[in-house]
Amino acid sequence: TYAFSAQHTSYNGGLGLYNRPFNESFEETPLLVAVLTYMGYGILTIFGYLRDFLRDWKIERCHIAREREEQRDFVPLYQDFENFYTRNLYMRIRDSWNRPICSVPGAKVDLVERVSHDYNWTFDYTGRVVGGVINMGSYNYLGFAENTGYCAEAAAEVTMKYGVGVASTRQEMGNLDRHEEMEALVAKFLGVESAIAFGMGFATNSMNIPALSGKGCLILSDELNHASLVLGARLSGSTIRVFKHNNMQSLEKMLRDAIVHGQPRTHRPWKKILILVEGIYSMEGSIVRLPEVIALKKRFGAYLYLDEAHSIGALGPAGRGVVDYFGLDPRDVDVMMGTFTKSFGAAGGYIGGRRELIDYLRVHSHSAVYATSMSPPVVEQIITSMKCIMGEDGTTLGRERVKRLAENTVYFRRKMTEMGFIIYGNSDSPVVPMMLYLPAKIGAFGREMLKRNIGVVVVGFPATPIIESRARFCISAAHTKDMLDTALCVISEVGDLLQVKYSRHRRLPSLDRAFDHSIYDEIQD
């Protein structure tokens, strides 16, 4: 088991960097489970090649796109292994993904029932709706994905006034007063000088990193960074080096080597060194060791790009993200990026920082120059939900939701550990990965949970390493204790059925232990 506590940790012998406990756990995969997982993939691969042989001889029908006979000598349009994996592994459990819902993705959702008569190659809709499914998969951290209440009413009112589409870019005829108000509010919320918003969270990373870094620059990227960060780094043309996940020794060594050796061949100093990290890593449930990253960044004169897609709204006593969670100064983060798609129940992304940075991006960012402006009702959803979190709506509803999310997270994680599941990540992270490992159990877990009216997300390759398949739960402030208890009871039942309670380090049950309401007392607002 790997567990880390940074309550009394200091970096490089200096002053302690953490003012609160920092506990993360990544239990080692049991040897027998690892062997069985490899055997499972081996058996699937053997049968996959056998079925491909039958397809080649027209004994079995092939449903997937293939090269035509006259294109046999061309460069392959479809990658061999990826296509093989899709045909023979993914299709077996395809029913676990892309399930259509027909309601607000709140604490409970309604699913459109579908069936397959050809082993998941196609689906037919029965016309029946499966109602009241407890939603344990959506990124609805603060419960703002709703169709009633102040936010929804404000968005509807703005739609009647401004319409839905803007039909122009911000630099032309698409710069509304609501856009200006939203960006000023985001800057105030983050505690930075200025902010800029974009219509797509993925493009916020992939289109802005190339504007900040280029040839002759070095990007140091965490090995588990999101695909949008990876794509942005590749598009920038910078040299990219990957450090081990949340490993400060690995990051320090790369920074030291970069300073000492400089650029390859010429050994000239790097024009810029940019560190890319996330607040909460969405597949691991871990939280970035931001105090240590900032200490290293200052020591070696690098720049820091922080992606708070999952942490903004979900961490910190005021819901201001991982910077707020650690009680740090926002000015120590050079580029603060986040999205509105999760905690705010909207769409799009933002970048906050110094005014000079934001003014530069308004001119040089492809997302800012070429993309259509954000839809007015989406902007209004962001404004109203953010004001609610800040308490500027005249209520304490936002603060209560932040507190309830923290309580739900601690309660759910504790119960899952006590039941014997291997749970990854930080004890305060609302993203809770539960390890499944074996490929057959990916689809089985999702199906068995849905039979019991619990909607979950199961994840496998290529989103995770091929032997580290998992189910990922996302905790929400909208979840009541009864909902969580119902979900936990079903998870335990299915866990026993599928024998996925792999942990060898179970905690003793503590049913009589109340939640510690002083969880955030150590940090001042």
Side-chain angles (χ1 to χ4, degrees):
T1 302
Y2 172 66
F4 175 80
S5 176
Q7 187 171 5
H8 304 292
T9 298
S10 61
Y11 180 78
N12 202 29
L15 187 65
L17 298 177
Y18 293 85
N19 61 357
R20 59 176 295 115
F22 185 83
N23 302 306
E24 291 193 344
S25 178
F26 298 91
E27 186 173 332
E28 185 179 359
T29 307
L31 180 60
L32 177 61
V33 175
V35 171
L36 291 175
T37 302
Y38 279 116
M39 288 179 60
Y41 277 106
I43 292 170
L44 283 171
T45 302
I46 291 170
F47 274 90
Y49 280 114
L50 175 60
R51 297 186 71 180
D52 278 353
F53 174 79
L54 297 176
R55 290 170 185 142
D56 286 339
W57 285 89
K58 305 295 189 294
I59 299 173
E60 179 181 332
R61 182 182 176 187
C62 183
H63 298 269
I64 204 166
R66 304 180 66 183
E67 306 288 352
R68 291 188 297 178
E69 289 294 330
E70 56 268 31
Q71 294 177 319
R72 288 287 184 179
D73 297 327
F74 287 27
V75 175
L77 180 62
Y78 307 105
Q79 294 296 321
D80 184 54
F81 177 74
E82 291 179 7
N83 203 23
F84 176 86
Y85 179 86
T86 301
R87 284 195 308 272
N88 300 300
L89 282 78
Y90 169 72
M91 280 298 170
R92 292 174 178 265
I93 52 177
R94 183 170 168 241
D95 57 304
S96 298
W97 292 284
N98 305 317
R99 291 184 178 129
I101 69 171
C102 54
S103 68
V104 174
K108 290 187 177 183
V109 295
D110 297 335
L111 295 179
V112 178
E113 187 180 63
R114 62 181 183 178
V115 295
S116 177
H117 303 290
D118 53 4
Y119 304 100
N120 296 334
W121 289 98
T122 61
F123 292 100
D124 295 324
Y125 295 100
T126 64
R128 178 172 171 264
V129 173
V130 182
V133 177
I134 296 178
N135 181 7
M136 299 298 296
S138 294
Y139 308 129
N140 185 27
Y141 296 129
L142 294 181
F144 282 112
E146 51 195 0
N147 57 1
T148 58
Y150 174 63
C151 294
E153 292 171 2
E157 184 178 337
V158 164
T159 303
M160 297 303 295
K161 179 179 179 181
Y162 290 89
V164 175
V166 181
S168 182
T169 66
R170 291 285 298 276
Q171 290 191 349
E172 295 170 349
M173 296 294 292
N175 190 31
L176 305 180
D177 57 343
R178 307 305 289 171
H179 291 132
E180 301 279 354
E181 180 182 347
M182 173 186 62
E183 291 177 342
L185 186 65
V186 170
K188 181 180 177 181
F189 180 66
L190 298 175
V192 296
E193 293 179 8
S194 186
I196 181 173
F198 307 93
M200 181 180 178
F202 191 98
T204 304
N205 279 332
S206 61
M207 293 289 99
N208 283 288
I209 293 175
L212 299 172
S213 183
K215 189 175 181 181
C217 299
L218 174 65
I219 290 179
L220 301 180
S221 178
D222 189 290
E223 66 177 344
L224 296 182
N225 273 342
H226 189 263
S228 59
L229 289 168
V230 174
L231 178 60
R234 289 175 177 172
L235 291 175
S236 71
S238 305
T239 300
I240 304 170
R241 292 175 184 166
V242 180
F243 62 91
K244 295 179 181 178
H245 175 56
N246 238 355
N247 188 312
M248 295 302 104
Q249 289 75 27
S250 176
L251 177 58
E252 180 184 7
K253 183 179 185 302
M254 289 191 175
L255 284 166
R256 192 187 305 276
D257 290 345
I259 297 298
V260 172
H261 300 295
Q263 299 184 41
R265 294 189 299 276
T266 64
H267 299 292
R268 292 176 180 173
W270 295 99
K271 295 179 181 178
K272 187 186 301 177
I273 300 176
L274 183 64
I275 302 171
L276 302 183
V277 293
E278 294 185 44
I280 292 178
Y281 291 86
S282 59
M283 286 299 166
E284 304 300 312
S286 53
I287 297 175
V288 64
R289 291 177 186 158
L290 192 59
E292 295 177 73
V293 176
I294 289 177
L296 286 171
K297 164 237 171 187
K298 289 181 175 180
R299 181 181 173 190
F300 291 98
Y303 293 94
L304 176 58
Y305 186 110
L306 174 63
D307 179 346
E308 291 218 74
H310 286 268
S311 56
I312 192 69
L315 286 180
R320 289 184 168 93
V322 70
V323 176
D324 185 32
Y325 175 78
F326 287 114
L328 302 172
D329 188 345
R331 291 173 295 182
D332 288 334
V333 180
D334 300 289
V335 186
M336 297 184 69
M337 177 271 172
T339 63
F340 303 119
T341 55
K342 300 168 181 69
S343 292
F344 305 98
Y350 66 83
I351 285 181
R354 296 177 57 191
R355 192 172 303 278
E356 294 86 351
L357 167 70
I358 304 306
D359 290 344
Y360 173 85
L361 288 177
R362 291 190 193 280
V363 178
H364 292 86
S365 166
H366 286 79
S367 285
V369 176
Y370 298 110
T372 303
S373 302
M374 294 177 69
S375 175
V378 173
V379 172
E380 192 64 21
Q381 169 72 20
I382 296 166
I383 292 173
T384 51
S385 59
M386 192 170 289
K387 284 184 176 180
C388 181
I389 297 171
M390 297 169 71
E392 293 190 2
D393 62 339
T395 71
T396 60
L397 178 62
R399 180 60 64 93
E400 290 169 2
R401 292 193 183 200
V402 172
K403 181 181 177 182
R404 193 180 311 123
L405 174 62
E407 293 176 358
N408 288 349
T409 296
V410 172
Y411 177 76
F412 187 84
R413 279 185 166 273
R414 176 164 57 83
K415 291 294 186 182
M416 291 288 288
T417 303
E418 289 170 358
M419 289 189 293
F421 295 104
I422 292 182
I423 301 299
Y424 275 8
N426 193 284
S427 57
D428 291 327
S429 169
V431 177
V432 187
M434 186 195 88
M435 304 310 294
L436 297 174
Y437 298 114
L438 278 75
K441 295 185 179 180
I442 301 173
F445 186 82
R447 293 171 191 138
E448 292 297 327
M449 292 293 290
L450 188 58
K451 285 180 184 177
R452 294 160 175 79
N453 241 36
I454 308 291
V456 301
V457 172
V458 288
V459 190
F461 178 83
T464 67
I466 198 164
I467 67 161
E468 292 188 8
S469 303
R470 63 198 67 181
R472 184 185 62 182
F473 305 101
C474 290
I475 309 304
S476 171
H479 289 139
T480 64
K481 187 174 183 297
D482 288 341
M483 289 181 189
L484 293 179
D485 286 338
T486 300
L488 286 164
C489 182
V490 171
I491 293 168
S492 181
E493 179 186 342
V494 176
D496 289 330
L497 176 67
L498 301 181
Q499 298 182 354
V500 293
K501 296 183 177 180
Y502 299 120
S503 180
R504 294 166 294 181
H505 305 281
R506 301 190 188 186
R507 294 180 185 174
L508 294 175
S510 50
L511 301 177
D512 57 340
R513 185 172 66 195
F515 177 78
D516 182 9
H517 292 283
S518 63
I519 185 170
Y520 284 136
D521 287 352
E522 299 176 26
I523 301 179
Q524 298 297 322
D525 292 352

